[in-house]
Amino acid sequence: MHDDIEEILLTEQQITAGIDAVAKQVTDAYRGVEFTVVSVLKGSCIFASDLIRRIPVPLELAFVSASSYGDGTTSGDLEMNFFPAEGEIRGKHLLLVDDILDTGKTLSRLKAELTKRGAAQVKSCVFLDKPARRAVEYNADFRAFEVDDLFVVGYGLDFAGRYRNLPFVGSLKKEAYAGVVDG
Ligand code: 5GP
Ligand code: MG
């Protein structure tokens, strides 16, 4: 699996430092405000679990599942698979946590849906932000890293379901894409 990586863009040490910093920002922002971290499955599970363990103020944890159709390297139409129960949304301060903010479609649609379902506030915290790719107007309230317009895998981020378990973030070699396309 590591042989499929072209270049390591964020090492484990860099990731740790970035999460420490963003966790401090989130902690300061929510001091005295009860809130719920809403992890967007599947990609954010690793980031969310590392993030919340560095936030020493009371919080709850919930999950939503949203996925783009297809196995490619661009985000397609969004499918929202499941949401927290109504009681976990209505009147709550929610912090959506996602792996990467790319076109912005996923988080803007999730924010609209959670607001419609009665959330008092919906903010977001992303592990990676690719501002060059934005297609809708959406900015994260917190982000650990900004990255260039390049498809990345690892630390929760997949290609065709694989590579989420890499402890670092890297780009894929061309052969790794070709292997999937060619079956
Ligand atoms: P958005 O709706 O902001 O375009 O897309 C967010 C989703 O697209 C992410 O949660 C992720 O699943 C996928 N995505 C966007 N860019 C990348 C990338 O560079 N690598 C991987 N693995 N997924 C990406
Ligand atoms: Mg995702």
Side-chain angles (χ1 to χ4, degrees), residues 41-43 66 98-99:
L41 295 173
K42 303 172 186 170
D98 207 358
D99 54 359

Side-chain angles (χ1 to χ4, degrees), residues 85-134:
E86 195 199 328
E88 290 186 283
I89 299 174
R90 188 159 293 284
K92 305 283 187 179
H93 287 69
L94 305 181
L95 180 65
L96 279 166
V97 170
D98 207 358
D99 54 359
I100 186 164
L101 175 56
D102 186 38
T103 65
K105 289 178 190 169
T106 305
L107 286 178
S108 62
R109 292 232 1 235
L110 286 175
K111 178 177 178 173
E113 184 63 31
L114 290 164
T115 303
K116 199 175 98 190
R117 293 179 186 218
Q121 182 193 64
V122 184
K123 292 195 173 193
S124 63
C125 176
V126 297
F127 174 54
L128 303 178
D129 185 8
K130 261 193 215 173
R133 290 259 312 156
R134 210 73 90 243

Side-chain angles (χ1 to χ4, degrees), residues 141-168:
D141 299 278
F142 310 93
R143 70 167 176 211
F145 298 97
E146 185 176 321
V147 288
D148 292 336
D149 182 6
L150 181 70
F151 190 79
V152 297
V153 295
Y155 197 74
L157 291 133
D158 74 307
F159 173 64
R162 297 171 63 199
Y163 307 105
R164 295 192 197 276
N165 52 327
L166 288 173
F168 51 79

Side-chain angles (χ1 to χ4, degrees), residues 6-180:
E6 174 83 41
E7 189 190 349
I8 294 181
L9 302 168
L10 294 170
T11 64
E12 285 188 70
Q13 287 84 350
Q14 287 172 316
I15 290 172
T16 300
I19 297 177
D20 279 344
V22 80
K24 281 201 183 71
Q25 294 172 20
V26 172
T27 302
D28 289 343
Y30 286 95
R31 227 178 266 286
V33 183
E34 294 270 345
F35 71 114
T36 302
V37 166
V38 181
S39 165
V40 183
L41 295 173
K42 303 172 186 170
S44 81
C45 69
I46 294 173
F47 174 51
S49 66
D50 280 345
L51 179 72
I52 63 173
R53 285 177 291 173
R54 291 175 171 84
I55 302 176
V57 296
L59 61 81
E60 290 186 39
L61 180 61
F63 298 93
V64 290
S65 171
S67 47
S68 307
Y69 294 113
D71 278 343
T73 57
T74 56
S75 35
D77 282 332
L78 190 73
E79 190 175 17
M80 295 191 274
N81 303 312
F82 68 82
F83 281 88
E86 195 199 328
E88 290 186 283
I89 299 174
R90 188 159 293 284
K92 305 283 187 179
H93 287 69
L94 305 181
L95 180 65
L96 279 166
V97 170
D98 207 358
D99 54 359
I100 186 164
L101 175 56
D102 186 38
T103 65
K105 289 178 190 169
T106 305
L107 286 178
S108 62
R109 292 232 1 235
L110 286 175
K111 178 177 178 173
E113 184 63 31
L114 290 164
T115 303
K116 199 175 98 190
R117 293 179 186 218
Q121 182 193 64
V122 184
K123 292 195 173 193
S124 63
C125 176
V126 297
F127 174 54
L128 303 178
D129 185 8
K130 261 193 215 173
R133 290 259 312 156
R134 210 73 90 243
V136 298
E137 205 175 302
Y138 187 90
N139 287 309
D141 299 278
F142 310 93
R143 70 167 176 211
F145 298 97
E146 185 176 321
V147 288
D148 292 336
D149 182 6
L150 181 70
F151 190 79
V152 297
V153 295
Y155 197 74
L157 291 133
D158 74 307
F159 173 64
R162 297 171 63 199
Y163 307 105
R164 295 192 197 276
N165 52 327
L166 288 173
F168 51 79
V169 171
S171 56
L172 274 182
K173 285 182 186 162
K174 290 227 164 44
E175 304 90 271
Y177 296 107
V180 169

